[in-house]
Amino acid sequence: MLRFIVRRLLQLIPTLGGLSILLFVWLQRLPGGPEYALLPDDATAEQRAALRRSLGLDEPLAVQYLTFLRRIVQGDLGTSLQTSRPVLDEFFLRFPATFELAVTAMLIAVTLGLPLGYLAARKRGTVLDFAAVGGSLLGICTPVFFLAFILKVVFAENLGLFPSAFRLSPGLSRTDITGFVVLDGLMTREWDVVTDALAHLVLPGLALASIPLAVITRMTRASVLEVMGEDYVRTANAKGLHRTTVRTRHVLRNALLPVVTAVGLLAGSLFAGAVLTESVFAFPGIGSFVYAATQTRDYPVLTGFILLIATMYVFINLLVDISYSLLDPRVRAQ
Amino acid sequence: MFMKSSRKPLGLVAVAASLALMATACAESDRGDGGGEEQPFVFAAAGDIASLDPFLASDGETFRYSRQVFETLLEHESGGSEIVGGLAETWDQSEDGTRWTFNLHDNVKFHDGDDLNADAVCANFDRWFNLTGAYQSSNNSYYWQKIFGGFAENDEDHAPPEPRFVSCDAEDELTVTIEVSEYSSLYPGGFSLAAFGIMSPTSLEAMEGQEITGEEGNPTLPEYTQVPGTVAGTGPFTVEEWNQDQGEITMERFEDYWGDPAGFETMILRAIPDENARRQALEAGDIHGYDLVAPADVAPLQEAGFEVPTRDVFNLLYLAYQQDHEALADLEVREALSHAVNRQRIVDTILPEGGEVASQFHPDTLDGWSPDVREIEYDPELAAEMLAEAGHEDLEIEFCYPTEVTRPYMPAPKDIFDVITEDLQEAGVTVEAKSYEWAEYINQTDSGNCPLYLLGWTGDYNDAYNFIGTWFSTPNSAWGLDDEELFDKMEEVSTNPDQEERTAGYQELNEMVMDVLPGLPISSSPPSIAFSGDINPPNVSPLTQENFAEASWK
């Protein structure tokens, strides 16, 4: 297992190296530059050229890339052009918000998707099955911004149940220990902070969960249906095992293998999906910051954040593989 | 084994669900309580601030914050565009316009207890003039370079312009004289810019030696620009906290303020970049006000009981004709295209209430506006005839517009583009649409790659040069205009220190510009601002320079 983990971690080096080259080329091909986004509209051509020069953007791409690599080796991802703060600081300032949002979305997706998919398979052809399949299709098809709009109109504006924006109510004082608001609130017993933070997570969490929920529901349903038709399930039933034992040990355990993989991949994609959700809900996480960085052509932020997200993605996949091997002894044996 | 391990997550889910329900109840109870002296006033901005020191900034959101905390020598009248005294009670200029004398208000205190006096003002100007290194980057001293040129020792790497600032002298306790090398119409308006907010001597001492660090291309701003505690101004609010992770800046009422005290004890600026999210946050009661209301939202918000005061116009949207394009070099073609555009339809259908058709290249709220410029009537038949006479009856032309952006002068770029395109097509012009994201759009239009394009400007201060001087003082590729007579006249007028003569000169210039017709001025529109029903709004400013100390709970 250790060798497996080390091998996967070593694979990170060529993956991130290739990604960084692609990113550099892509960013250079992006139309416009930070000198147009950072200076006011009436800036002169000389001022824009001077800014480009002072940011080192007039250097050849290869030189810029080598400088970037040198900094990476030194643990320096550069400085945001927009805020003039280190990219790594910006990332860790915003990571907790996105992590909390992604965990909320995944909790919603898994806790609803697994039972729904399982029940839909068990009750195949019934109203429940049609509702689950239809609902998940709708979940995949509905654009996040539209769903967010509906959620806000119904639950924030009309019913007044949840806030429509932010991560915490403005002016709410709290003790910052880890940057994770809910965790900090629990640690310091600031219950008003915990409840306020959870209330702010509900609507963006639901919006972000829509696609994973749909995928998990459909995959669970399909997987359970497939496993229920396997010979070993028929055998288990035939030899008189208790129905619950058959369902949990034989059906669910095997049916969950592909679902776990999907959950892992979906968890990674949540960070990408957060870009839109966070923007719509003014949720101050990685997503909304990356969105702003694309508008201002903040190259260091775009490069740094994408590399960090890619690294996280690889780690999440590693965790998925490890959990996969725990669920399926055959994987361990290989 | 599987079931055993699955119980924990289920337990956690149950706890989370319970907490979420508790949160719901709590959130509900916190909302809709209405205003109150203890409750913070929350205003949504379009973005987070860039720095606690406005000198380093060039963006409107930083200036929105800094105007509440710092004050300038001069400012604009509340709710208007006339330049009036700020920290200076009165001011005067020498005959040649190079020496500006300011008589400061007495008994003005900084937030840290320092007294405002002439030495404090000069300490600020001297600091700015003597900045070195990365402070001289156009990104970190944009407005200094625009108004006062370069520095005591210009850094070649950042290539600032030659300095226009000469000295700042404390004539006595409350009298300051600032000398510039030559008169320019940048004065006195430049003294009102938020970038030149005066800080306390103690603040300046604490900032000394705090440099912009990091190697070339990788600058990091010093700590005093990021953490409240160092900077202190004289404004009605003190800066208390800047939560960069939340995009939230908190200000408290300054009890020793020399003017009328602020109506709110606490004011919070919170970033909500998305326009729809700002509106929904106001409707949901999460905030008490926001700026840059979409024109389509004004009426529904008013009907729903929100305050949406109208600003006077202080901006301009124009359709530019880039004259390096063969057909557009012909005045008759430019006139024809101008007759083809129904500007009134744009104002009536797209702009917010209070918008108006522009007759020249600056709004009528500005000194120098001329009632005698030639009028351009909407007449599509005449447009077609003129195009035929000019030999361009089958004119095909690229027309650029920006995407994913709104500007105060251009609230719906695509809609405006569509209306103009339809008008041009009616006159027989074939339009090829070109759209770009904002950064690239500015690049393309600046480089002269767009024959027709939409752009505009919101004024920084009340001087016509801030509009027409920006565009028509030198040859540039954005317009492809090379008119020596016009440029010479602009130079002559803008360097005349006599205010009355200068105003008359600007009127002549406006008439000249409309004769040359480098573009078609389309409209001036009032950017809207909205407040919840329990707020007495501040006087709204045509320059979007609201003083939130004037606002209060009802």
Side-chain angles (χ1 to χ4, degrees), chain A residues 255-309:
Chain A
L256 280 181
L257 282 173
V259 179
V260 168
T261 311
V263 166
L265 294 172
L266 287 167
S269 70
L270 282 179
F271 282 89
V275 171
L276 198 57
T277 311
E278 288 182 0
S279 298
V280 173
F281 285 95
F283 200 83
I286 288 171
S288 52
F289 196 65
V290 165
Y291 178 74
T294 58
Q295 303 293 307
T296 54
R297 302 293 187 267
D298 195 339
Y299 298 150
V301 164
L302 289 173
T303 317
F305 274 41
I306 291 172
L307 287 180
L308 287 166
I309 290 171

Side-chain angles (χ1 to χ4, degrees), chain A residues 32 42 79 85 152 164 195, chain B residues 142 146 218 226 280 286 440:
Chain A
D42 68 335
T79 306
R85 292 192 286 265
K152 286 205 276 187
S164 73
T195 52
Chain B
Y142 179 79
K146 182 175 175 178
N218 217 10
Q226 306 294 307
Q280 288 189 306
D286 296 324
E440 177 60 3

Side-chain angles (χ1 to χ4, degrees), chain A residues 53-122:
Chain A
R53 209 167 39 246
S54 71
L55 293 174
L57 297 173
D58 59 337
E59 299 280 0
L61 188 58
V63 174
Q64 287 184 50
Y65 182 70
L66 288 175
T67 309
F68 169 75
L69 276 189
R70 179 173 54 78
R71 285 180 185 150
I72 290 267
V73 172
Q74 295 168 348
D76 176 10
L77 281 176
T79 306
S80 163
L81 302 180
Q82 199 179 7
T83 66
S84 296
R85 292 192 286 265
V87 169
L88 213 53
D89 289 1
E90 293 289 11
F91 185 84
F92 287 117
L93 198 63
R94 288 163 174 81
F95 173 75
T98 303
F99 184 80
E100 283 180 347
L101 179 58
V103 167
T104 305
M106 198 41 93
L107 272 176
I108 293 170
V110 170
T111 51
L112 292 180
L114 284 181
L116 207 58
Y118 178 73
L119 286 175
R122 289 272 324 281

Side-chain angles (χ1 to χ4, degrees), chain A residues 213-232:
Chain A
L213 171 60
V215 171
I216 290 170
T217 304
R218 290 170 69 89
M219 281 203 72
T220 309
R221 178 183 176 276
S223 189
V224 168
L225 278 177
E226 189 186 334
V227 172
M228 284 198 322
E230 293 287 343
D231 288 345
Y232 60 82

